[in-house]
Amino acid sequence: MIEQKTDTPVVSEEEKSNLRLVDLNLLTVFDVVMQEQHITRAAQVLGMSQPAVSNAVARLKVMFNDELFVRYGRGIQPTVRACQLFGPIRQALQLVQNELPGAGFEPLSSERVFHLCVCSPLDSYLTSTIYNKVEAIAPNIQLAFRTSLNQNIEHQLRYQEVEFVIGYEAFHRPDFSSMPLFLDEMVLVASRKHPRLNNLLTEADIWREGHAAVVLDRYASFSQIWYDSPEKQSAISYQGMALTSVLGVVSQTQLVAIAPRWLAKEFTEKMQLAILPLPLPLNNRTCYLSWHDSAGRDKGHQWMEQLLVSICRR
């Protein structure tokens, strides 16, 4: 007789015995404590007393033979082992939750809060569109927007302090997903009164002009990618916190700036701007939707992902 192979993992009797000894409720406590990184807040979320959560954390430490959390300021900070456990445990909990009867996501009745980062300058283009669309089809859902990334963004995505990022940067690290949404054409913007407007035709011409840009030392600065050498950086005369303020300075000076065509067009008449082709190798940028894979099995997350894709690709 030919033995049939199966992909189903074989669980030994010893492993079955170990699983019977595990209180799976502790994993829910672990998940919330990891997200809140504060025992009192975790207790409030779980509807438990603070001593009960502290006791559960103590049992988790024994279960995993690790401290898991150490005091940090007024809260707690996860250990390396806790960070390693968080993704698999969260995925397992979400997988179980999604398979329970009545566990589907109902956007019309949901009161869930989604935290989104729509990076500048895309925020001025997409935030109101996303907000209005969600309000129209799921009025009880709340959206919390921010417009800038920082060095902790991977941490924030991993622990779902931020659930989605929409921006020009893709996340190429393991356990992160980035989906291209659309391609943005980049242009050169100058005042209509610029005395050399008709002569800005080549790359060399561009670098002979004074530039205005978004501050380069800001994390994930929109402008930094074009000013990747000391020579190019020396052309910058003004650095602003937002691209709209950069365009305002350009409109009143002989400086030039690099911007998405849609943003430049929005201010063309108001600021009396001229839009020129960008004669540089990098004259377009892809906008991405990014998230951490640990959230991907959650049905609410999947709903929002599909909605954001449909909104942004239009």
Side-chain angles (χ1 to χ4, degrees):
M1 180 181 293
I2 298 175
E3 181 180 354
Q4 292 184 340
K5 294 184 178 180
T6 176
D7 293 331
T8 304
V10 178
V11 180
S12 68
E13 289 302 319
E14 181 182 358
E15 289 172 325
K16 290 179 182 178
S17 178
N18 289 338
L19 283 174
R20 293 190 192 103
L21 298 176
V22 174
D23 182 353
L24 297 181
N25 290 319
L26 294 177
L27 301 183
T28 300
V29 174
F30 174 82
D31 179 61
V32 175
V33 172
M34 280 293 290
Q35 293 182 70
E36 298 297 328
Q37 297 193 18
H38 196 282
I39 296 295
T40 302
R41 290 201 299 267
Q44 293 171 347
V45 172
L46 290 162
M48 299 169 61
S49 68
Q50 183 175 334
V53 174
S54 296
N55 179 60
V57 170
R59 293 171 63 192
L60 283 162
K61 291 180 179 181
V62 174
M63 180 191 301
F64 291 109
N65 192 29
D66 188 271
E67 281 296 304
L68 295 180
F69 303 100
V70 295
R71 291 193 177 278
Y72 183 76
R74 296 184 178 180
I76 54 177
Q77 180 173 295
T79 64
V80 172
R81 177 61 174 151
C83 292
Q84 293 170 343
L85 291 167
F86 179 67
I89 288 176
R90 170 157 275 266
Q91 288 182 350
L93 289 172
Q94 289 176 342
L95 181 62
V96 172
Q97 178 67 31
N98 288 339
E99 297 306 320
L100 292 175
F105 178 75
E106 296 295 338
L108 191 60
S109 59
S110 174
E111 297 181 355
R112 180 164 169 174
V113 179
F114 287 93
H115 296 266
L116 288 73
C117 179
V118 184
C119 299
S120 180
L122 290 160
D123 60 317
S124 64
Y125 176 46
L126 294 174
T127 299
S128 58
T129 304
I130 294 169
Y131 181 89
N132 290 334
K133 182 65 174 180
V134 172
E135 186 177 48
I137 64 177
N140 296 315
I141 285 179
Q142 299 180 54
L143 299 178
F145 289 96
R146 63 178 68 180
T147 64
S148 61
L149 300 177
N150 59 45
Q151 294 179 337
N152 293 324
I153 187 59
E154 289 188 4
H155 170 95
Q156 293 164 352
L157 284 168
R158 183 174 286 110
Y159 299 116
Q160 295 182 37
E161 297 169 12
V162 175
E163 293 171 77
F164 293 98
V165 171
I166 299 176
Y168 294 119
E169 303 294 333
F171 290 77
H172 297 297
R173 300 281 296 276
D175 301 326
F176 289 86
S177 294
S178 290
M179 176 187 298
L181 295 174
F182 54 84
L183 193 66
D184 251 353
E185 180 189 0
M186 300 294 154
V187 295
L188 190 72
V189 183
S191 166
R192 289 182 183 174
K193 298 179 181 179
H194 195 291
R196 294 172 298 281
L197 189 62
N198 295 327
N199 297 324
L200 301 178
L201 302 176
T202 68
E203 182 173 356
D205 294 329
I206 300 302
W207 297 118
R208 280 193 286 266
E209 296 295 326
H211 286 233
V214 177
V215 286
L216 301 189
D217 59 1
R218 187 177 185 177
Y219 186 78
S221 163
F222 168 81
S223 299
Q224 199 280 331
I225 195 169
W226 285 282
Y227 302 92
D228 56 359
S229 69
E231 292 77 18
K232 294 175 182 177
Q233 291 171 13
S234 66
I236 300 176
S237 299
Y238 170 79
Q239 296 188 47
M241 294 299 294
L243 197 50
T244 50
S245 63
V246 169
L247 295 183
V249 170
V250 165
S251 69
Q252 301 177 60
T253 65
Q254 295 182 20
L255 301 179
V256 299
I258 298 169
R261 178 178 287 277
W262 59 263
L263 183 66
K265 287 180 66 176
E266 183 178 338
F267 292 98
T268 297
E269 293 306 319
K270 180 179 179 180
M271 295 185 179
Q272 295 295 294
L273 297 173
I275 300 175
L276 305 168
L278 184 63
L280 299 179
L282 181 63
N283 55 20
N284 58 64
R285 297 187 71 177
T286 301
C287 175
Y288 296 93
L289 176 67
S290 303
W291 64 91
H292 191 264
D293 290 343
S294 62
R297 292 184 181 272
D298 175 69
K299 291 183 179 179
H301 180 99
Q302 294 169 1
W303 174 83
M304 179 58 75
E305 175 194 329
Q306 293 170 2
L307 182 62
L308 291 173
V309 169
S310 68
I311 292 171
C312 296
R313 286 186 173 168
R314 289 177 183 173

